[in-house]
């Protein structure tokens, strides 16, 4: 298999299988019927691996990578399934920080062509069964599975995990999950299963109660991670990571109750070496120091509030590059924009990418200093040119903006 053949296969997958990340709502296929048929077709690899399930609006990627790092430090072989990818498809499926083998991806995509006609998987359904099969073939000790979207109807919800967690619940994907926090919390609580411990990381009593009530219905132990004292630190920067660390500590405690050996030193080391152990980037990622350039994939209202609040705490003039997808409520973002900044708005280069000209009236109403660009790279080069000593650059607003930036510039910087 050549790189060209691999890329051709992945491109074919993107075209054949509807992809929510790229195409939006029309590609979303809720329910477990399809994934059940897929798993049956591949002899149910998800039943042959020990899984940990992590959902939530924000923080599930960081939490799953931190937990993977801790387990790796304890000597375990750990599978990690995250989405979306930033640069290459294989980032979605990792074992001990190493991206999924491209030969495996290529071969597995060929099997898609042999599926019975009554199974028409979405992109996410197909990558989910691909992850299960890869983890089984690799003989992982544990597979950490991140929920794709929601919980109750998400294709990852076919697993029977050792323990599950819901990091938090915020307004996001309202067109799919519901208009209120309560509705969204009920969807996310759908990952709670009989007798399987559930960790809750949300600080609001409304959300906490919804998760707790569902846990009681399922006779599932409920653990409130917000009551834990967490003075440990991680190499994943961002003030919001303190909340994720508490979720990870609660998960570790539940795993230890299952006689899984994890020492305090493993926890400390694992949290401090997440980048090194898992290759995770994208959350408050320091791309360069001169000029200080930070990327963050936070993209919903709550995520951007955290990120912009941290930006406001940095006493520097800021060059802020932002881009959004079509379903983003831009007016909500305008109310959150960081101070002491000039803005560079760009269109992410995907089908769902929204051109800033479409919402320029909101930019004008916000009375900010801004420029508009056709691409993220053009915006970055302009910001870099304008950025003087002591100033900084921030890139965010969408996974796709950060991914596009890193794809163009990460190799250059290395």
């Amino acid at each position: 298999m050549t790189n060209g053949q691999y890329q051709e296969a992945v491109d074919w997958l993107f075209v054949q299988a509807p992809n929510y990340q790229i195409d939006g709502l029309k590609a979303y296929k809720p329910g477990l019927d399809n994934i059940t048929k897929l798993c049956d077709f591949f002899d149910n690899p998800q039943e042959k691996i020990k899984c940990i399930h992590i959902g939530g609006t924000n923080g599930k990627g960081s939490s799953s990578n931190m937990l993977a790092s801790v387990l790796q430090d304890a000597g375990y072989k750990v599978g990690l399934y995250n989405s979306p990818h930033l640069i290459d498809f294989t980032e979605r499926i990792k074992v001990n920080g190493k991206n999924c083998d491209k030969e495996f991806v290529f071969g597995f995509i060929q099997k898609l062509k042999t599926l019975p006609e009554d199974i028409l998987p979405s992109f996410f359904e197909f990558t989910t069964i691909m992850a299960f099969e890869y983890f089984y073939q690799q003989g992982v000790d544990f597979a950490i599975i991140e929920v794709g979207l929601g919980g109750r109807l998400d294709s990852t919800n076919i697993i029977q995990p050792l323990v599950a967690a819901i990091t938090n619940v915020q307004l996001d994907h309202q067109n799919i999950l519901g208009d209120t926090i309560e509705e969204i919390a009920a969807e996310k609580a759908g990952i709670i299963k009989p007798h399987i411990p559930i960790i809750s990381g949300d600080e609001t009593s409304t959300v906490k109660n919804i998760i707790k009530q569902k846990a009681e219905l399922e006779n599932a132990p409920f653990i409130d991670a917000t009551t834990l004292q967490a003075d440990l630190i991680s190499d994943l920067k961002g003030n919001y990571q303190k909340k994720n660390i508490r979720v990870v500590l609660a998960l570790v405690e539940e795993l230890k109750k299952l006689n899984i050996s994890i020492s305090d030193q493993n926890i400390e080391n694992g949290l401090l070496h997440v980048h090194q152990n898992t290759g995770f980037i994208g959350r408050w990622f320091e791309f360069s120091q001169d000029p200080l350039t930070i990327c963050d994939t936070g993209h919903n209202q709550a995520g951007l509030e955290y990120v912009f609040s941290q930006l406001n705490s940095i006493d520097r003039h800021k060059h802020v590059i932002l881009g959004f997808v079509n379903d983003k409520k831009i007016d909500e973002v305008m109310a959150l924009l960081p101070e002491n900044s000039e803005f560079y708005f760009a269109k992410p280069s995907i089908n769902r990418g929204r051109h800033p000209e479409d919402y320029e009236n909101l930019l004008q109403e916000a009375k900010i200093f801004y420029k508009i660009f056709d691409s993220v790279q053009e915006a970055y080069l302009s910001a870099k040119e304008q950025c003087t000593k002591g100033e900084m650059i921030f890139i965010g607003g969408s996974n796709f903006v950060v991914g596009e930036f890193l794809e163009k510039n990460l190799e250059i910087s290395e």
Side-chain angles (χ1 to χ4, degrees), residues 169-172 174 177-186 210:
V169 177
Q170 307 283 352
L171 290 173
D172 196 19
Q174 290 101 306
L177 301 178
D179 292 323
T180 66
I181 288 288
E182 290 82 2
E183 288 175 313
I184 296 172
I210 289 169

Side-chain angles (χ1 to χ4, degrees), residues 108-317:
F108 205 81
I109 289 173
Q110 307 317 306
K111 294 179 183 178
L112 174 58
K113 299 169 184 176
T114 70
L115 286 174
E117 289 183 5
D118 64 326
I119 308 177
L120 292 170
S122 70
F123 180 88
F124 188 74
E125 286 167 340
F126 194 71
T127 56
T128 299
I129 183 61
M130 187 187 294
F132 294 155
E133 180 64 20
Y134 189 66
F135 296 151
Y136 169 61
Q137 286 190 17
Q138 290 288 307
V140 300
D141 296 307
F142 304 102
I144 301 171
I145 308 295
E146 179 190 334
V147 173
L149 199 161
R152 181 175 65 93
L153 301 176
D154 188 74
S155 56
T156 64
N157 206 26
I158 195 170
I159 61 174
Q160 291 291 319
L162 301 173
V163 59
I166 298 169
T167 55
N168 56 53
V169 177
Q170 307 283 352
L171 290 173
D172 196 19
H173 300 297
Q174 290 101 306
N175 57 337
I176 293 172
L177 301 178
D179 292 323
T180 66
I181 288 288
E182 290 82 2
E183 288 175 313
I184 296 172
E187 285 298 311
K188 293 193 183 294
I191 68 169
I192 300 172
K193 296 184 175 66
H195 312 294
I196 294 170
I198 181 72
I199 315 293
S200 169
D202 201 290
E203 294 173 332
T204 61
S205 57
T206 306
V207 169
K208 204 179 292 189
N209 287 338
I210 289 169
I211 296 171
K212 191 174 184 180
Q213 285 166 14
K214 181 67 193 304
E216 287 170 355
L217 273 175
E218 300 289 355
N219 291 313
F222 171 84
I223 300 96
D224 183 359
T226 67
T227 62
L228 298 181
Q229 292 298 315
D231 53 3
L232 293 166
I233 57 172
S234 172
D235 63 332
L236 297 191
K237 302 305 177 188
N239 297 336
Y240 50 78
Q241 296 296 5
K242 293 171 186 172
K243 301 177 188 213
N244 296 328
I245 288 172
R246 291 191 301 207
V247 170
V248 172
L249 293 178
L251 283 163
V252 167
E253 282 308 306
E254 290 307 306
L255 292 173
K256 285 164 80 172
K257 288 177 187 175
L258 299 173
N259 295 320
I260 295 162
S261 178
I262 306 166
S263 70
D264 289 347
Q265 195 62 54
N266 295 147
I267 298 168
E268 191 175 327
N269 290 346
L271 290 174
L272 282 173
H273 298 101
V274 182
H275 286 304
Q276 179 184 319
N277 288 343
T278 72
F280 182 57
I281 57 174
R283 298 316 309 259
W284 205 263
F285 173 62
E286 189 175 297
F287 172 77
S288 72
Q289 290 187 329
D290 185 22
L292 176 61
T293 304
I294 301 289
C295 308
D296 196 287
T297 55
H299 55 276
N300 51 45
Q301 188 174 0
L304 289 170
E305 275 179 12
Y306 290 136
V307 170
F308 291 163
S309 170
Q310 187 154 356
L311 274 176
N312 282 333
S313 71
I314 300 173
D315 188 21
R316 295 186 186 218
H317 183 73

Side-chain angles (χ1 to χ4, degrees), residues 365-377:
E365 287 171 15
K367 294 184 168 54
I368 54 174
F369 182 82
Y370 71 90
K371 295 176 185 173
I372 283 177
F373 298 87
D374 291 329
S375 74
V376 172
Q377 186 66 2

